[in-house]
Amino acid sequence: MEDWISLYLSRNEILDQSALFARPEWINRLLTVIEKLLKNNDMLPAQILMDEFAFEQVLTGKPVEAGLDAIFLGKQALLKYILNEAKDEMAVFASLPTADMVFNRLATVYFQSFLEQAQKQSVRTGGLLSAAEANPVPTTYAGLEVHSVLKDMVLTLMNSIQASQAFVYLKGKNEDNFYPFFSLGPLTVMDKQAFNTQLVNIDDAKWLGSLFIEQEPLQISAQEAVQVPLNLFHTLEITSALLLPISTQNQHLGFMVFIKGKEDGEKFLSDQVQLAHTISHSMALALENELLYEEKKKRLAETDGLRQITFALLQKLNLEEVLEIVCKEALRLTAAQASSVYLLHDENWLHLAHHEGELGGPSQKWLAVEGSQQGFAARQKKPVVENITSSGNTETFLLAVPLHINNETMGILDVVKKHYSFSNDDVRIIKLFAAQATIAIENARLYQQGEQLAVWQERQRLARNLHDSVNQAVFGITLYAKAALRHLDTGKYDKLKQNLLDLTDTAKESLAEMRMLVHELNPPMIEQRGLKAAIESRLKTVEERVGVRCHFQADDHLEIPLYVEEELYRIVQEALNNILKHSNAKEITISIHQRDRKVTLSIQDNGVGFDVERKMKIEGYVGLKSMQERAANIDAVLTMTSQLGCGTTISVEVEI
């Protein structure tokens, strides 16, 4: 918490406008308030602190937006701190909604307190707020979100400036259209329909462009309203309308419309306009924070979605269960209405293996590879995004991604939306997801088809390695990169250099893990190439490529039964995996010798070494147990010797 406060206080704009965070005693009280909110949802300390803060703000003549800006900037600082500094990604995922709720509550309580204090002190900017008591803002919310806060702010503001109705439009992400968000006040069915059915495009509305360019409120009379093409002006009886931009320096987020009816007076007073303008600025900052929060939450949701697929890999699920998880996760990650998995039946046909969601029409059980968008994605081995005009002139948007393993396409994962298209983020995450889904589906097929138990166990181990090593390494790379950007912005070049060095080391480790996993996906065929060639292939493919010096010695003519060769190779493979993961070795020596009916295998490294007895006693050392089990399968004797700082030697002796 102290680190967050330090980050918070480094924001000069907060110090310039807020008395709350410029004095240590206020900081300590704020920490107490947040602690009580987090532990037992105690709102009383928050109410008292915000009342005192609002009282001081009113007396010093500061506008209400100064306090709101400070609160929402504090939320932004805390979210950045959680996302950049937290070590446990699941703790991050759990912390974000809680942090969001706390600051939204503080903002709501402060806003109400400011209005009440302004009225009591008869301050010019608060003397217009008498109507606010008719609909006071609640001081306690359950599961509060920013949009709920905004709605309450607009309701209180509408009463404060004596407006009959209020309308809020918000901009769609990566779009130029403003969509109806909510309306307040007495409305007829025709009024609601006029509001809810109209989208406003910023290019088509010159009056809206002027509103955002000048960043000033626009007040129009009933006669002037006909020049503004908003449908609601044609159904409402108005005397005056006030339009305000909801925008920051970075982006235009929406706009608000307040209406005065015949009983509300001729026009909005200048003080009413100024109050509405200041509140609209704070609303914009709150929405911008919400967008940041949602984006970070989406990234964490992506990680969680990929974890679900890894979980499927670790479980003994049948194919139908795996396909159900794949389709449901695809829907969640892309906010689509339907998702399907088609498996390649032969070179000409795709067969529907599973489907989730409904689009109002029957799903096609079979798709021709030639002539379908899914088939095109399968042939090209690339994602396909297509807008298809279906019956009733309804636009349906399709995203199809190939499922391929070992460069061979096994099927297609597609997701479908109505009314709005897929973004570049959708394509990016579904490609990452499809890679995990392919492994899950392939493993489930092996399990369902009754493949050899040894094959399934190796795939399970691969899934665990994928989750424990590569997935975490990639997440670590992301954290180091974010930290480096932060230090670059603040000019801390020594820390920036260290972040980059850490990032490089993590990337190298991840690359080594990936090469190891890829090699395990495609192990050499022992029965065709023999034990010697298989070990040489592994050393060249993995160890030598990551910079480990390898020495391999083997007798020219080895006469070893196939089942013994397979177990010896798996022992070598497990040993090499452990060396790469734990030993930090720079050199490896492997030898295989045969004397009459006795075969001796030796694996040595010059790594950091470890206490073998302690490892077996405390941690069980799964890798060593696996090698011992394989040795027992062929009646071999396996021994391991190691000392800290002196490397490790594994020896296997077997009579054939």
Side-chain angles (χ1 to χ4, degrees):
M1 190 64 74
E2 287 76 10
D3 292 338
W4 161 65
I5 286 294
S6 176
L7 176 66
Y8 200 169
L9 290 176
S10 69
R11 301 291 293 269
N12 293 330
E13 60 265 38
I14 299 174
L15 291 175
D16 291 342
Q17 65 189 8
S18 171
L20 175 59
F21 302 104
R23 291 188 287 170
E25 60 268 26
W26 286 97
I27 295 175
N28 293 331
R29 293 185 62 188
L30 175 68
L31 292 175
T32 302
V33 164
I34 293 177
E35 181 181 14
K36 290 183 179 297
L37 281 172
L38 291 173
K39 286 185 176 179
N40 53 22
N41 198 28
D42 187 356
M43 284 297 300
L44 182 60
Q47 182 71 63
I48 295 173
L49 179 62
M50 291 298 105
D51 283 344
E52 293 182 26
F53 178 41
F55 177 76
E56 181 170 316
Q57 294 286 82
V58 170
L59 284 184
T60 55
K62 293 187 177 181
V64 64
E65 71 171 325
L68 290 171
D69 286 351
I71 290 171
F72 283 120
L73 285 169
K75 172 188 167 184
Q76 187 178 42
L78 180 57
L79 291 178
K80 287 183 177 180
Y81 174 76
I82 291 174
L83 290 165
N84 291 334
E85 302 298 333
K87 304 300 183 185
D88 185 350
E89 58 181 297
M90 288 308 296
V92 171
F93 196 71
S95 300
L96 289 178
T98 304
D100 189 51
M101 176 194 69
V102 167
F103 278 91
N104 291 341
R105 288 189 175 188
L106 291 177
T108 302
V109 172
Y110 166 73
F111 183 58
Q112 183 188 21
S113 297
F114 186 92
L115 297 183
E116 292 174 350
Q117 293 294 339
Q119 186 179 21
K120 291 177 182 178
Q121 298 299 323
S122 299
V123 175
R124 181 67 170 163
T125 57
L128 307 168
L129 308 179
S130 58
E133 294 181 351
N135 288 288
V137 179
T139 57
T140 303
Y141 287 80
L144 188 66
E145 295 183 357
V146 167
H147 289 171
S148 300
V149 178
L150 299 183
K151 197 167 186 177
D152 290 319
M153 285 184 178
V154 173
L155 175 63
T156 305
L157 181 58
M158 182 182 74
N159 294 322
S160 302
I161 64 176
Q162 299 175 352
S164 298
Q165 292 97 10
F167 305 88
V168 176
Y169 293 81
L170 292 183
K171 189 178 180 184
K173 185 178 180 182
N174 301 322
E175 296 183 34
D176 290 330
N177 290 324
F178 293 87
Y179 294 84
F181 181 48
F182 65 79
S183 60
L184 298 173
L187 296 171
T188 66
V189 174
M190 186 177 296
D191 297 334
K192 292 180 179 179
Q193 184 177 12
F195 171 66
N196 291 326
T197 58
Q198 184 179 19
L199 274 64
V200 181
N201 186 279
I202 193 170
D203 294 329
D204 297 337
K206 294 182 179 179
W207 57 272
L208 194 57
S210 175
L211 188 71
F212 285 118
I213 292 173
E214 297 177 8
Q215 292 288 301
E216 292 292 336
L218 175 63
Q219 184 169 193
I220 57 178
S221 64
Q223 293 75 21
E224 295 170 327
V226 296
Q227 301 175 10
V228 178
L230 286 177
N231 292 340
L232 58 92
F233 287 159
H234 301 304
T235 62
L236 295 171
E237 295 183 3
I238 70 173
T239 59
S240 181
L242 178 62
L243 293 85
L244 301 113
I246 304 176
S247 62
T248 66
Q249 294 180 348
N250 300 321
Q251 55 185 326
H252 306 311
L253 301 170
F255 66 94
M256 295 185 291
V257 181
F258 292 94
I259 302 296
K260 275 187 178 290
K262 293 181 178 180
E263 299 179 356
D264 300 318
E266 290 283 328
K267 58 185 297 187
F268 292 94
L269 302 178
S270 60
D271 287 338
Q272 292 176 326
V273 174
Q274 183 59 38
L275 175 63
H277 191 207
T278 58
I279 297 302
S280 70
H281 177 76
S282 295
M283 290 178 64
L285 186 57
L287 279 172
E288 191 173 47
N289 275 304
E290 176 73 356
L291 291 175
L292 172 66
Y293 165 68
E294 289 297 331
E295 184 65 24
K296 299 302 182 183
K297 188 169 68 172
K298 181 180 178 182
R299 290 287 187 266
L300 291 172
E302 291 175 0
T303 301
D304 186 56
L306 297 179
R307 183 182 293 105
Q308 292 296 324
I309 290 300
T310 304
F311 177 77
L313 285 168
L314 297 173
Q315 304 302 308
K316 293 184 178 180
L317 300 175
N318 62 37
L319 182 58
E320 185 61 28
E321 291 172 325
V322 172
L323 292 174
E324 181 181 359
I325 292 175
V326 169
C327 289
K328 287 183 176 180
E329 289 299 316
L331 289 179
R332 186 172 69 87
L333 290 172
T334 59
Q337 279 77 48
S339 175
S340 305
V341 172
Y342 285 89
L343 297 180
L344 198 62
H345 180 73
D346 54 39
E347 61 181 13
N348 297 317
W349 293 95
L350 290 162
H351 177 252
L352 179 63
H354 192 82
H355 175 80
E356 291 286 337
E358 295 294 335
L359 285 176
S363 301
Q364 292 182 264
K365 295 294 185 181
W366 292 89
L367 286 177
V369 173
E370 190 69 34
S372 66
Q373 295 301 325
Q374 291 88 341
F376 184 74
R379 295 196 312 272
Q380 298 296 318
K381 297 182 180 180
K382 294 180 180 179
V384 171
V385 181
E386 186 70 14
N387 301 341
I388 304 173
T389 302
S390 58
S391 59
N393 294 322
T394 300
E395 281 192 314
T396 301
F397 300 89
L398 170 73
L399 170 58
V401 183
L403 304 171
H404 50 77
I405 189 168
N406 296 336
N407 207 33
E408 293 293 330
T409 300
M410 61 181 293
I412 290 294
L413 169 64
D414 70 28
V415 283
V416 179
K417 288 182 180 179
K418 275 188 176 181
H419 309 306
Y420 59 102
S421 61
F422 289 97
S423 66
N424 291 333
D425 278 345
D426 291 325
V427 177
R428 176 186 56 80
I429 185 56
I430 208 67
K431 285 176 63 179
L432 293 173
F433 177 75
Q436 296 278 2
T438 303
I439 298 176
I441 294 171
E442 177 66 10
N443 279 281
R445 291 174 74 181
L446 292 173
Y447 177 71
Q448 190 179 51
Q449 294 167 4
E451 292 284 336
Q452 294 180 359
L453 179 61
V455 174
W456 174 247
Q457 291 174 338
E458 289 301 318
R459 298 281 175 152
Q460 276 193 313
R461 187 174 62 82
L462 177 61
R464 288 195 297 270
N465 290 340
L466 181 65
H467 175 266
D468 295 337
S469 57
V470 179
N471 196 30
Q472 296 300 320
V474 173
F475 184 75
I477 289 172
T478 302
L479 293 180
Y480 284 131
K482 288 181 179 179
L485 288 174
R486 188 174 68 252
H487 292 316
L488 178 63
D489 290 339
T490 56
K492 297 179 180 179
Y493 297 108
D494 54 338
K495 293 185 178 180
L496 169 63
K497 180 179 179 181
Q498 185 58 48
N499 287 143
L500 293 177
L501 291 174
D502 292 339
L503 188 150
T504 301
D505 292 339
T506 305
K508 287 181 179 179
E509 293 173 4
S510 179
L511 180 61
E513 290 282 354
M514 286 300 297
R515 283 178 173 149
M516 181 179 67
L517 294 175
V518 169
H519 187 270
E520 291 181 23
L521 274 172
N522 301 277
M525 303 296 289
I526 302 295
E527 63 268 28
Q528 295 179 4
R529 305 182 58 187
L531 177 61
K532 181 178 178 181
I535 295 175
E536 288 176 338
S537 174
R538 162 61 194 247
L539 294 175
K540 290 180 180 180
T541 303
V542 181
E543 278 69 22
E544 290 183 1
R545 289 191 178 183
V546 297
V548 178
R549 294 188 301 275
C550 299
H551 307 283
F552 179 48
Q553 300 175 346
D555 293 344
D556 292 334
H557 301 288
L558 296 172
E559 296 180 359
I560 306 174
L562 177 60
Y563 76 96
V564 175
E565 285 192 320
E566 289 177 343
E567 296 295 346
L568 290 177
Y569 176 77
R570 292 304 180 184
I571 291 173
V572 171
Q573 185 182 59
E574 185 65 44
L576 292 175
N577 291 348
N578 290 333
I579 291 171
L580 286 181
K581 290 179 182 179
H582 309 297
S583 76
N584 198 28
K586 302 299 181 183
E587 190 169 3
I588 298 172
T589 300
I590 299 177
S591 63
I592 303 176
H593 300 293
Q594 182 176 5
R595 296 293 180 268
D596 297 327
R597 299 178 56 85
K598 184 177 182 180
V599 176
T600 303
L601 167 67
S602 174
I603 308 162
Q604 294 178 301
D605 69 74
N606 64 347
V608 295
F610 62 96
D611 187 334
V612 177
E613 183 177 351
R614 181 175 177 273
K615 279 282 186 181
M616 289 294 296
K617 182 178 180 180
I618 299 177
E619 301 178 13
Y621 203 73
V622 176
L624 178 56
K625 282 192 173 182
S626 173
M627 289 186 282
Q628 288 177 330
E629 290 172 358
R630 292 190 177 279
N633 289 340
I634 54 176
D635 295 324
V637 177
L638 183 144
T639 58
M640 174 180 287
T641 58
S642 182
Q643 292 183 4
L644 292 175
C646 298
T648 302
T649 299
I650 298 172
S651 299
V652 180
E653 292 185 356
V654 56
E655 294 281 344
I656 59 175

